[in-house]
């Protein structure tokens, strides 16, 4: 965690060609992921980066897509991917109705009704 106060962005075209706008965007994204990872280690639990990840975990659990886009490192990209591959299910197209989040949520709701 020492020496990570400065990050140098590298694009996919490094030492190959002049980067395109897309190369720069990709390089920035990767750098933001690296910065977030470093913040998680450097700041420790219950600080900004952790709070953000915990909020994202709750948004995932709740299948709250708007909140996930808001918290994502690149929310616009996340929205584009989701919109392009959306199904009838309120989950994502990876597991559809076999979504673990949906199944666990339903199990907890049923358990609550029993109590
Ligand atoms: S469908 Fe699968 S990948 Fe998609 S949110 Fe649910 S558990 Fe995650």
């Amino acid at each position: 965690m020492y020496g990570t106060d400065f990050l140098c962005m590298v694009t996919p075209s490094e030492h190959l060609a002049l980067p395109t706008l897309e190369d720069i965007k990709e390089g920035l994204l990767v750098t933001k992921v690296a910065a977030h990872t470093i913040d998680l280690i450097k700041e420790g639990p219950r600080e900004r980066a952790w709070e953000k990840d915990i909020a994202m975990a709750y948004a995932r659990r709740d299948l709250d897509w708007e909140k996930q886009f808001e918290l994502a490192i690149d929310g616009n990209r996340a929205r584009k991917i989701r919109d392009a591959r959306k199904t009838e299910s309120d989950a994502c197209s990876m597991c559809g109705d076999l979504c673990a989040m949906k199944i666990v949520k339903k199990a907890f709701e049923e358990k609550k009704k029993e109590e």
Side-chain angles (χ1 to χ4, degrees), residues 5 32 35-56 71 73:
D5 289 331
K32 282 177 146 187
H36 182 72
T37 305
I38 292 163
D39 285 347
L40 287 172
I41 298 165
K42 204 169 182 179
E43 293 173 352
R46 305 202 179 279
E47 295 299 331
R48 186 180 46 96
W50 283 77
E51 295 294 333
K52 199 172 177 186
D53 276 12
I54 289 166
M56 179 62 99
L71 292 165
I73 286 178

Side-chain angles (χ1 to χ4, degrees), residues 3-4 6 8 15-18 21-22 28-29 50 53 64-65 76 91-92 95 107-109 112-113:
T4 50
F6 175 80
C8 181
H15 300 291
L16 297 169
L18 188 65
L21 188 57
E22 284 308 309
L28 271 173
L29 258 180
W50 283 77
D53 276 12
D64 183 343
W65 301 103
N76 289 334
C92 81
C95 325
F108 277 126
E109 283 167 1
K112 236 181 197 176
K113 277 183 203 165

Side-chain angles (χ1 to χ4, degrees), residues 60 63 65 68 91-102:
R60 286 215 173 102
L63 297 173
W65 301 103
Q68 289 182 61
C92 81
S93 56
M94 181 80 159
C95 325
D97 285 334
L98 295 175
C99 174
M101 306 296 171
K102 272 179 79 165

